[in-house]
Protein backbone atom coordinates (compact mmCIF):
# COMPACT_ATOMS: atom_id res chain seq x y z
CA UNK A 1 0.00 0.00 0.00
CA UNK A 2 1.18 3.51 -0.73
CA UNK A 3 1.35 5.85 2.22
CA UNK A 4 -1.88 7.37 1.03
CA UNK A 5 -2.70 8.92 4.35
CA UNK A 6 0.39 11.06 4.08
CA UNK A 7 0.80 11.62 0.39
CA UNK A 8 -2.77 11.91 -0.89
CA UNK A 9 -3.90 15.51 -1.22
CA UNK A 10 -6.44 16.32 1.42
CA UNK A 11 -9.80 17.22 -0.02
CA UNK A 12 -11.50 17.54 3.34
CA UNK A 13 -9.72 19.98 5.59
CA UNK A 14 -12.16 19.59 8.47
CA UNK A 15 -11.27 15.92 8.67
CA UNK A 16 -7.59 16.63 9.20
CA UNK A 17 -7.62 19.65 11.41
CA UNK A 18 -10.11 20.31 14.15
CA UNK A 19 -9.05 23.93 14.38
CA UNK A 20 -9.47 24.67 10.67
CA UNK A 21 -11.33 27.60 9.12
CA UNK A 22 -14.70 28.54 10.66
CA UNK A 23 -17.42 25.99 9.91
CA UNK A 24 -20.77 26.75 8.34
CA UNK A 25 -22.27 24.64 11.13
CA UNK A 26 -21.09 25.55 14.61
CA UNK A 27 -20.50 22.36 16.59
CA UNK A 28 -19.87 24.43 19.71
CA UNK A 29 -23.45 25.66 19.67
CA UNK A 30 -25.16 23.41 22.28
CA UNK A 31 -28.37 23.21 20.26
CA UNK A 32 -26.47 22.19 17.12
CA UNK A 33 -24.52 19.49 18.94
CA UNK A 34 -27.74 18.25 20.59
CA UNK A 35 -29.42 17.97 17.19
CA UNK A 36 -26.40 16.17 15.74
CA UNK A 37 -26.28 13.68 18.62
CA UNK A 38 -30.02 13.01 18.44
CA UNK A 39 -29.82 12.60 14.66
CA UNK A 40 -26.92 10.13 15.01
CA UNK A 41 -29.02 8.01 17.38
CA UNK A 42 -32.10 8.09 15.13
CA UNK A 43 -30.11 7.32 11.97
CA UNK A 44 -28.23 4.48 13.66
CA UNK A 45 -31.52 3.02 14.91
CA UNK A 46 -33.77 3.36 11.86
CA UNK A 47 -31.57 4.34 8.96
CA UNK A 48 -31.46 7.54 6.94
CA UNK A 49 -34.52 7.06 4.76
CA UNK A 50 -36.88 6.00 7.57
CA UNK A 51 -35.93 8.94 9.81
CA UNK A 52 -37.62 12.33 9.47
CA UNK A 53 -36.39 15.72 10.65
CA UNK A 54 -39.59 15.91 12.71
CA UNK A 55 -38.62 12.74 14.61
CA UNK A 56 -35.15 14.09 15.33
CA UNK A 57 -36.68 17.30 16.66
CA UNK A 58 -39.12 15.29 18.78
CA UNK A 59 -36.22 13.54 20.56
CA UNK A 60 -35.25 16.97 21.87
CA UNK A 61 -38.70 18.48 22.22
CA UNK A 62 -37.97 20.80 19.29
CA UNK A 63 -40.24 21.64 16.38
CA UNK A 64 -39.20 20.45 12.92
CA UNK A 65 -38.78 24.09 11.87
CA UNK A 66 -36.00 24.56 14.41
CA UNK A 67 -34.11 21.58 12.99
CA UNK A 68 -34.66 23.08 9.54
CA UNK A 69 -33.29 26.39 10.74
CA UNK A 70 -29.90 24.78 11.38
CA UNK A 71 -29.92 22.20 8.58
CA UNK A 72 -31.41 23.09 5.22
CA UNK A 73 -32.07 19.49 4.22
CA UNK A 74 -31.86 15.93 5.49
CA UNK A 75 -28.91 15.36 3.12
CA UNK A 76 -27.02 18.25 4.73
CA UNK A 77 -27.81 16.88 8.19
CA UNK A 78 -26.62 13.38 7.20
CA UNK A 79 -23.28 14.72 5.99
CA UNK A 80 -22.85 16.80 9.11
CA UNK A 81 -23.79 13.94 11.45
CA UNK A 82 -21.28 11.73 9.73
CA UNK A 83 -18.48 14.32 10.12
CA UNK A 84 -19.43 15.07 13.70
CA UNK A 85 -19.69 11.46 14.87
CA UNK A 86 -16.51 10.63 13.05
CA UNK A 87 -14.55 13.40 14.76
CA UNK A 88 -15.79 12.30 18.14
CA UNK A 89 -14.80 8.73 17.24
CA UNK A 90 -11.32 9.72 16.02
CA UNK A 91 -10.74 11.71 19.21
CA UNK A 92 -11.54 8.58 21.22
CA UNK A 93 -9.28 6.45 19.02
CA UNK A 94 -6.51 8.99 19.56
CA UNK A 95 -6.92 8.77 23.31
CA UNK A 96 -7.13 4.98 23.17
CA UNK A 97 -3.89 4.43 21.29
CA UNK A 98 -2.03 6.82 23.58
CA UNK A 99 -2.45 4.42 26.49
CA UNK A 100 0.94 3.67 27.94
CA UNK A 101 2.50 0.51 29.35
CA UNK A 102 5.82 -1.03 30.22
CA UNK A 103 7.34 -2.63 27.14
CA UNK A 104 6.53 -1.88 23.53
CA UNK A 105 4.45 -5.04 23.08
CA UNK A 106 2.58 -4.43 26.32
CA UNK A 107 1.85 -0.84 25.30
CA UNK A 108 0.58 -2.06 21.94
CA UNK A 109 -1.73 -4.58 23.59
CA UNK A 110 -3.03 -1.94 26.01
CA UNK A 111 -3.65 0.49 23.17
CA UNK A 112 -5.52 -2.09 21.10
CA UNK A 113 -7.52 -3.15 24.14
CA UNK A 114 -8.62 0.46 24.55
CA UNK A 115 -9.49 0.67 20.85
CA UNK A 116 -11.86 -2.26 21.35
CA UNK A 117 -13.51 -0.53 24.30
CA UNK A 118 -14.11 2.54 22.15
CA UNK A 119 -15.84 0.51 19.46
CA UNK A 120 -17.77 -1.70 21.86
CA UNK A 121 -19.21 1.17 23.85
CA UNK A 122 -20.19 3.00 20.68
CA UNK A 123 -23.14 1.00 19.29
CA UNK A 124 -24.50 4.16 17.68
CA UNK A 125 -21.20 4.44 15.81
CA UNK A 126 -21.49 0.90 14.44
CA UNK A 127 -25.09 1.44 13.36
CA UNK A 128 -24.17 4.74 11.76
CA UNK A 129 -21.16 3.21 9.99
CA UNK A 130 -23.33 0.50 8.44
CA UNK A 131 -25.86 3.10 7.34
CA UNK A 132 -23.11 5.25 5.83
CA UNK A 133 -21.58 2.29 3.96
CA UNK A 134 -25.00 1.45 2.56
CA UNK A 135 -25.96 5.00 1.58
CA UNK A 136 -22.50 5.59 0.07
CA UNK A 137 -23.45 3.87 -3.14
CA UNK A 138 -26.18 6.43 -3.76
CA UNK A 139 -24.28 9.43 -2.45
CA UNK A 140 -20.74 10.00 -3.79
CA UNK A 141 -20.10 12.80 -1.30
CA UNK A 142 -20.93 10.49 1.59
CA UNK A 143 -18.69 7.78 0.13
CA UNK A 144 -15.83 10.26 -0.15
CA UNK A 145 -16.34 11.26 3.48
CA UNK A 146 -16.57 7.62 4.58
CA UNK A 147 -13.34 6.80 2.75
CA UNK A 148 -11.69 9.80 4.46
CA UNK A 149 -12.87 8.51 7.81
CA UNK A 150 -11.33 5.11 7.16
CA UNK A 151 -8.13 6.72 5.94
CA UNK A 152 -7.82 9.02 8.96
CA UNK A 153 -8.58 6.17 11.38
CA UNK A 154 -5.94 4.00 9.68
CA UNK A 155 -3.48 6.86 9.83
CA UNK A 156 -4.08 7.29 13.56
CA UNK A 157 -3.67 3.58 14.14
CA UNK A 158 -0.51 3.58 12.05
CA UNK A 159 0.91 6.49 14.03
CA UNK A 160 0.04 4.71 17.27
CA UNK A 161 1.63 1.48 16.05
CA UNK A 162 4.75 3.31 14.85
CA UNK A 163 5.00 5.12 18.15
CA UNK A 164 4.69 1.87 20.08
CA UNK A 165 7.16 0.02 17.89
CA UNK A 166 9.62 2.90 18.21
CA UNK A 167 12.85 2.44 16.29
CA UNK A 168 11.63 -0.94 15.07
CA UNK A 169 8.84 0.71 13.09
CA UNK A 170 11.16 1.96 10.38
CA UNK A 171 12.35 -1.52 9.60
CA UNK A 172 8.97 -3.21 10.07
CA UNK A 173 7.77 -3.50 6.51
CA UNK A 174 4.06 -3.96 7.09
CA UNK A 175 2.93 -1.08 9.28
CA UNK A 176 0.43 0.02 6.61
CA UNK A 177 -0.92 -3.49 6.20
CA UNK A 178 -1.07 -3.84 9.97
CA UNK A 179 -3.15 -0.70 10.43
CA UNK A 180 -5.48 -1.76 7.60
CA UNK A 181 -5.85 -5.17 9.23
CA UNK A 182 -6.52 -3.78 12.70
CA UNK A 183 -9.22 -1.39 11.46
CA UNK A 184 -10.87 -4.06 9.30
CA UNK A 185 -10.91 -6.60 12.12
CA UNK A 186 -12.41 -4.11 14.54
CA UNK A 187 -15.06 -3.12 11.97
CA UNK A 188 -15.85 -6.74 11.08
CA UNK A 189 -16.20 -7.79 14.72
CA UNK A 190 -18.42 -4.78 15.45
CA UNK A 191 -20.71 -5.95 12.62
CA UNK A 192 -20.77 -9.53 13.98
CA UNK A 193 -21.65 -8.19 17.38
CA UNK A 194 -24.38 -5.94 15.95
CA UNK A 195 -25.95 -8.73 13.88
CA UNK A 196 -25.66 -11.66 16.23
CA UNK A 197 -25.37 -10.13 19.68
CA UNK A 198 -24.90 -12.74 22.35
CA UNK A 199 -24.63 -15.59 19.83
CA UNK A 200 -21.10 -14.58 19.03
CA UNK A 201 -18.29 -13.77 21.44
CA UNK A 202 -16.63 -10.92 19.58
CA UNK A 203 -14.42 -10.04 22.55
CA UNK A 204 -12.96 -13.54 22.65
CA UNK A 205 -12.21 -13.35 18.92
CA UNK A 206 -10.56 -9.95 19.39
CA UNK A 207 -8.44 -11.32 22.24
CA UNK A 208 -7.31 -14.12 19.95
CA UNK A 209 -6.41 -11.50 17.35
CA UNK A 210 -4.32 -9.63 19.93
CA UNK A 211 -2.63 -12.88 20.93
CA UNK A 212 -1.70 -13.61 17.30
CA UNK A 213 -0.47 -10.05 16.89
CA UNK A 214 1.66 -10.37 20.00
CA UNK A 215 3.23 -13.55 18.65
CA UNK A 216 3.95 -11.75 15.38
CA UNK A 217 5.59 -8.79 17.11
CA UNK A 218 7.67 -11.04 19.34
CA UNK A 219 8.73 -13.11 16.35
CA UNK A 220 9.71 -9.93 14.59
CA UNK A 221 11.62 -8.63 17.59
CA UNK A 222 13.60 -11.84 17.83
CA UNK A 223 14.10 -12.94 14.25
CA UNK A 224 13.04 -10.20 11.88
CA UNK A 225 10.16 -10.60 9.42
CA UNK A 226 9.29 -13.93 7.82
CA UNK A 227 6.73 -14.12 5.04
CA UNK B 1 -18.72 -18.68 22.86
CA UNK B 2 -21.24 -21.50 23.06
CA UNK B 3 -21.31 -23.93 20.16
CA UNK B 4 -24.41 -22.18 18.91
CA UNK B 5 -24.04 -23.44 15.37
CA UNK B 6 -24.52 -26.97 16.64
CA UNK B 7 -26.78 -26.59 19.61
CA UNK B 8 -29.09 -23.73 18.68
CA UNK B 9 -32.43 -24.96 17.35
CA UNK B 10 -32.64 -24.35 13.62
CA UNK B 11 -35.41 -21.97 12.72
CA UNK B 12 -34.53 -21.84 9.04
CA UNK B 13 -34.40 -25.30 7.52
CA UNK B 14 -33.54 -24.06 4.05
CA UNK B 15 -30.38 -22.54 5.41
CA UNK B 16 -29.13 -25.83 6.74
CA UNK B 17 -30.21 -28.30 4.11
CA UNK B 18 -30.27 -27.63 0.41
CA UNK B 19 -32.43 -30.69 -0.22
CA UNK B 20 -35.11 -29.75 2.30
CA UNK B 21 -38.87 -29.66 1.70
CA UNK B 22 -40.04 -28.17 -1.61
CA UNK B 23 -39.61 -24.42 -1.75
CA UNK B 24 -42.33 -21.95 -2.55
CA UNK B 25 -39.87 -20.35 -4.96
CA UNK B 26 -38.18 -22.79 -7.34
CA UNK B 27 -34.51 -21.86 -7.67
CA UNK B 28 -34.10 -24.48 -10.41
CA UNK B 29 -36.47 -22.54 -12.66
CA UNK B 30 -34.08 -20.65 -14.98
CA UNK B 31 -36.32 -17.60 -15.06
CA UNK B 32 -36.49 -17.48 -11.28
CA UNK B 33 -32.72 -17.78 -10.89
CA UNK B 34 -32.22 -15.11 -13.58
CA UNK B 35 -34.52 -12.73 -11.71
CA UNK B 36 -32.76 -13.45 -8.41
CA UNK B 37 -29.31 -12.84 -9.93
CA UNK B 38 -30.43 -9.61 -11.61
CA UNK B 39 -32.08 -8.45 -8.40
CA UNK B 40 -28.90 -9.19 -6.41
CA UNK B 41 -26.90 -7.00 -8.79
CA UNK B 42 -29.41 -4.13 -8.68
CA UNK B 43 -29.75 -4.26 -4.89
CA UNK B 44 -25.97 -4.38 -4.41
CA UNK B 45 -25.54 -1.40 -6.75
CA UNK B 46 -28.35 0.91 -5.64
CA UNK B 47 -29.74 -0.50 -2.43
CA UNK B 48 -33.15 -1.95 -1.68
CA UNK B 49 -35.20 1.22 -1.46
CA UNK B 50 -33.87 2.82 -4.66
CA UNK B 51 -34.45 -0.31 -6.77
CA UNK B 52 -37.83 -1.03 -8.37
CA UNK B 53 -39.19 -4.34 -9.63
CA UNK B 54 -39.51 -2.68 -13.05
CA UNK B 55 -35.75 -2.00 -13.12
CA UNK B 56 -34.96 -5.59 -12.21
CA UNK B 57 -37.22 -6.81 -15.01
CA UNK B 58 -35.60 -4.36 -17.41
CA UNK B 59 -32.17 -5.95 -16.77
CA UNK B 60 -33.60 -9.15 -18.26
CA UNK B 61 -35.93 -7.61 -20.84
CA UNK B 62 -38.93 -8.73 -18.78
CA UNK B 63 -42.02 -6.73 -17.91
CA UNK B 64 -42.59 -5.80 -14.29
CA UNK B 65 -45.69 -8.02 -14.25
CA UNK B 66 -43.53 -11.10 -14.92
CA UNK B 67 -41.35 -10.27 -11.92
CA UNK B 68 -44.54 -9.79 -9.90
CA UNK B 69 -45.79 -13.17 -11.06
CA UNK B 70 -42.89 -14.87 -9.27
CA UNK B 71 -42.49 -12.49 -6.34
CA UNK B 72 -45.55 -10.98 -4.72
CA UNK B 73 -43.69 -8.01 -3.26
CA UNK B 74 -40.30 -6.37 -3.15
CA UNK B 75 -39.98 -7.51 0.47
CA UNK B 76 -40.48 -11.14 -0.63
CA UNK B 77 -37.92 -10.70 -3.39
CA UNK B 78 -35.38 -9.15 -0.98
CA UNK B 79 -35.68 -12.10 1.41
CA UNK B 80 -35.37 -14.59 -1.44
CA UNK B 81 -32.37 -12.81 -2.99
CA UNK B 82 -30.66 -12.83 0.37
CA UNK B 83 -31.25 -16.60 0.81
CA UNK B 84 -30.25 -17.37 -2.75
CA UNK B 85 -27.04 -15.31 -2.79
CA UNK B 86 -26.13 -16.64 0.59
CA UNK B 87 -26.47 -20.28 -0.51
CA UNK B 88 -24.31 -19.63 -3.53
CA UNK B 89 -21.78 -17.93 -1.26
CA UNK B 90 -21.78 -20.78 1.28
CA UNK B 91 -21.30 -23.32 -1.52
CA UNK B 92 -18.22 -21.41 -2.65
CA UNK B 93 -16.93 -21.15 0.92
CA UNK B 94 -17.43 -24.92 1.25
CA UNK B 95 -15.40 -25.54 -1.89
CA UNK B 96 -12.74 -23.07 -0.81
CA UNK B 97 -12.06 -24.57 2.58
CA UNK B 98 -11.86 -28.07 1.09
CA UNK B 99 -8.69 -27.09 -0.78
CA UNK B 100 -5.98 -29.58 0.10
CA UNK B 101 -2.25 -29.23 0.70
CA UNK B 102 0.69 -30.99 2.25
CA UNK B 103 0.84 -30.26 5.95
CA UNK B 104 -1.96 -29.08 8.14
CA UNK B 105 -0.70 -25.48 8.29
CA UNK B 106 -0.17 -25.39 4.52
CA UNK B 107 -3.68 -26.72 3.93
CA UNK B 108 -5.07 -24.10 6.27
CA UNK B 109 -3.25 -21.32 4.43
CA UNK B 110 -4.45 -22.64 1.05
CA UNK B 111 -8.02 -22.87 2.31
CA UNK B 112 -7.96 -19.32 3.68
CA UNK B 113 -6.36 -18.04 0.48
CA UNK B 114 -9.27 -19.54 -1.45
CA UNK B 115 -11.75 -17.98 0.98
CA UNK B 116 -10.28 -14.59 0.14
CA UNK B 117 -10.64 -15.24 -3.57
CA UNK B 118 -14.31 -16.07 -3.05
CA UNK B 119 -14.93 -12.79 -1.26
CA UNK B 120 -12.80 -10.69 -3.60
CA UNK B 121 -14.43 -11.94 -6.78
CA UNK B 122 -17.88 -11.41 -5.28
CA UNK B 123 -18.32 -7.63 -5.17
CA UNK B 124 -22.08 -8.10 -5.52
CA UNK B 125 -21.96 -10.19 -2.36
CA UNK B 126 -20.19 -7.42 -0.42
CA UNK B 127 -22.63 -4.78 -1.65
CA UNK B 128 -25.56 -7.02 -0.81
CA UNK B 129 -24.16 -7.81 2.65
CA UNK B 130 -23.86 -4.12 3.46
CA UNK B 131 -27.41 -3.52 2.25
CA UNK B 132 -28.70 -6.44 4.33
CA UNK B 133 -26.89 -5.23 7.47
CA UNK B 134 -28.40 -1.79 6.97
CA UNK B 135 -31.95 -2.97 6.24
CA UNK B 136 -31.79 -5.46 9.12
CA UNK B 137 -32.59 -2.79 11.64
CA UNK B 138 -35.93 -2.15 9.96
CA UNK B 139 -36.70 -5.78 9.07
CA UNK B 140 -36.41 -8.36 11.87
CA UNK B 141 -36.90 -11.26 9.44
CA UNK B 142 -33.96 -10.05 7.37
CA UNK B 143 -31.86 -9.65 10.50
CA UNK B 144 -32.69 -13.20 11.56
CA UNK B 145 -31.66 -14.44 8.12
CA UNK B 146 -28.46 -12.37 8.15
CA UNK B 147 -27.55 -13.75 11.58
CA UNK B 148 -28.18 -17.27 10.23
CA UNK B 149 -25.89 -16.57 7.30
CA UNK B 150 -23.12 -15.45 9.63
CA UNK B 151 -23.68 -18.46 11.86
CA UNK B 152 -23.63 -20.94 8.97
CA UNK B 153 -20.52 -19.35 7.46
CA UNK B 154 -18.78 -19.48 10.84
CA UNK B 155 -19.83 -23.11 11.21
CA UNK B 156 -18.37 -23.98 7.80
CA UNK B 157 -15.14 -22.18 8.63
CA UNK B 158 -14.98 -23.93 11.98
CA UNK B 159 -15.51 -27.31 10.34
CA UNK B 160 -12.81 -26.51 7.82
CA UNK B 161 -10.44 -25.38 10.55
CA UNK B 162 -11.20 -28.47 12.65
CA UNK B 163 -10.66 -30.70 9.63
CA UNK B 164 -7.33 -29.04 8.87
CA UNK B 165 -6.15 -29.12 12.47
CA UNK B 166 -7.11 -32.80 12.73
CA UNK B 167 -6.57 -34.35 16.13
CA UNK B 168 -5.19 -31.03 17.40
CA UNK B 169 -8.58 -29.41 16.98
CA UNK B 170 -10.05 -31.11 20.04
CA UNK B 171 -7.41 -29.65 22.28
CA UNK B 172 -7.24 -26.26 20.56
CA UNK B 173 -9.40 -24.15 22.83
CA UNK B 174 -10.19 -21.30 20.50
CA UNK B 175 -11.63 -22.83 17.33
CA UNK B 176 -14.89 -20.90 17.82
CA UNK B 177 -13.05 -17.65 18.41
CA UNK B 178 -10.82 -18.40 15.43
CA UNK B 179 -13.75 -18.89 13.04
CA UNK B 180 -15.42 -15.73 14.36
CA UNK B 181 -12.16 -13.83 13.84
CA UNK B 182 -11.61 -15.17 10.31
CA UNK B 183 -15.13 -14.27 9.18
CA UNK B 184 -15.00 -10.80 10.77
CA UNK B 185 -11.60 -10.02 9.23
CA UNK B 186 -12.77 -11.12 5.78
CA UNK B 187 -15.95 -9.03 6.16
CA UNK B 188 -14.06 -6.00 7.44
CA UNK B 189 -11.47 -6.12 4.65
CA UNK B 190 -14.21 -6.51 2.04
CA UNK B 191 -15.78 -3.30 3.39
CA UNK B 192 -12.42 -1.46 3.28
CA UNK B 193 -11.95 -2.60 -0.28
CA UNK B 194 -15.48 -1.55 -1.23
CA UNK B 195 -15.17 1.90 0.36
CA UNK B 196 -11.63 2.81 -0.54
CA UNK B 197 -10.80 0.70 -3.57
CA UNK B 198 -7.22 1.17 -4.70
CA UNK B 199 -6.39 3.42 -1.76
CA UNK B 200 -6.11 0.42 0.49
CA UNK B 201 -4.29 -2.83 -0.14
CA UNK B 202 -6.72 -5.27 1.42
CA UNK B 203 -4.91 -8.29 0.00
CA UNK B 204 -1.66 -7.27 1.68
CA UNK B 205 -3.50 -6.89 5.00
CA UNK B 206 -5.10 -10.30 4.55
CA UNK B 207 -1.70 -11.86 3.82
CA UNK B 208 -0.39 -10.33 7.03
CA UNK B 209 -3.36 -11.85 8.84
CA UNK B 210 -2.52 -15.28 7.38
CA UNK B 211 1.10 -14.84 8.40
CA UNK B 212 0.08 -14.04 11.98
CA UNK B 213 -2.29 -17.02 11.97
CA UNK B 214 0.48 -19.29 10.73
CA UNK B 215 2.75 -18.14 13.55
CA UNK B 216 -0.04 -18.84 16.02
CA UNK B 217 -0.68 -22.34 14.69
CA UNK B 218 3.03 -23.15 14.66
CA UNK B 219 3.39 -21.85 18.17
CA UNK B 220 0.48 -24.00 19.21
CA UNK B 221 1.88 -27.07 17.45
CA UNK B 222 5.20 -26.67 19.22
CA UNK B 223 4.30 -25.38 22.64
CA UNK B 224 0.59 -25.58 23.20
CA UNK B 225 -1.58 -22.50 23.78
CA UNK B 226 -0.29 -19.43 25.56
CA UNK B 227 -2.60 -16.62 26.43
Amino acid sequence: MMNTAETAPSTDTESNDNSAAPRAVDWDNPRVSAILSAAAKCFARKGFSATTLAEIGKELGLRKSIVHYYFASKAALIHEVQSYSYHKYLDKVKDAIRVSGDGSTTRMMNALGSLWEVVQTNKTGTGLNIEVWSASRRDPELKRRAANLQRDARKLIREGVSDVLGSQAQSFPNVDALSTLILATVNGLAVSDYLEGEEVNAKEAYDLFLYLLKLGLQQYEHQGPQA
Side-chain angles (χ1 to χ4, degrees), chain A:
Chain A
M1 188 168 69
M2 303 284 290
N3 287 352
T4 47
E6 276 175 1
T7 57
S10 172
T11 51
D12 187 354
T13 51
E14 304 109 82
S15 73
N16 295 315
D17 185 358
N18 271 317
S19 60
R23 305 183 45 83
V25 176
D26 178 11
W27 293 352
D28 292 331
N29 179 329
R31 186 162 269 185
V32 167
S33 63
I35 293 173
L36 290 169
S37 294
K41 264 184 219 153
C42 292
F43 289 149
R45 202 190 304 139
K46 294 178 65 184
F48 294 142
S49 55
T51 303
T52 64
L53 293 190
E55 278 172 312
I56 294 165
K58 209 172 170 186
E59 287 269 319
L60 302 165
L62 296 176
R63 281 197 314 275
K64 182 184 164 188
S65 57
I66 307 276
V67 179
H68 257 304
Y69 173 80
Y70 292 101
F71 301 95
S73 65
K74 192 159 87 175
L77 180 56
I78 287 171
H79 290 163
E80 204 62 31
V81 163
Q82 201 242 354
S83 265
Y84 178 76
S85 304
Y86 140 47
H87 272 93
K88 291 212 309 191
Y89 170 76
L90 288 187
D91 283 346
K92 283 187 194 149
V93 170
K94 244 179 252 174
D95 289 344
I97 61 185
R98 273 193 198 127
V99 173
S100 59
D102 290 342
S104 73
T105 306
T106 309
R107 272 187 70 199
M108 177 82 134
M109 294 303 121
N110 287 345
L112 293 177
S114 305
L115 181 62
W116 179 251
E117 294 300 318
V118 168
V119 173
Q120 272 308 99
T121 52
N122 186 16
K123 303 285 180 196
T124 296
T126 301
L128 199 62
N129 264 344
I130 291 172
E131 194 61 21
V132 165
W133 301 337
S134 165
S136 283
R137 99 202 57 202
R138 296 177 293 276
D139 183 340
E141 170 62 14
L142 200 62
K143 184 167 186 173
R144 191 183 69 76
R145 284 164 177 254
N148 279 353
L149 188 164
Q150 291 276 119
R151 198 186 65 198
D152 289 359
R154 266 192 290 115
K155 189 181 166 191
L156 278 181
I157 291 171
R158 204 187 51 188
E159 285 169 1
V161 168
S162 299
D163 179 42
V164 166
L165 290 177
S167 58
Q168 287 189 303
Q170 286 178 304
S171 51
F172 191 85
N174 281 326
V175 178
D176 280 325
L178 184 55
S179 54
T180 300
L181 177 62
I182 291 170
L183 184 62
T185 299
V186 166
N187 278 343
L189 284 172
V191 169
S192 296
D193 194 50
Y194 152 76
L195 275 184
E196 302 186 85
E198 309 249 311
E199 284 233 8
V200 66
N201 193 332
K203 178 69 170 71
E204 195 184 41
Y206 189 70
D207 286 342
L208 176 61
F209 177 64
L210 294 191
Y211 167 68
L212 294 173
L213 205 52
K214 197 165 130 188
L215 283 183
L217 291 174
Q218 284 166 349
Q219 171 89 5
Y220 185 77
E221 269 172 32
H222 297 147
Q223 296 170 31
Q226 293 183 346

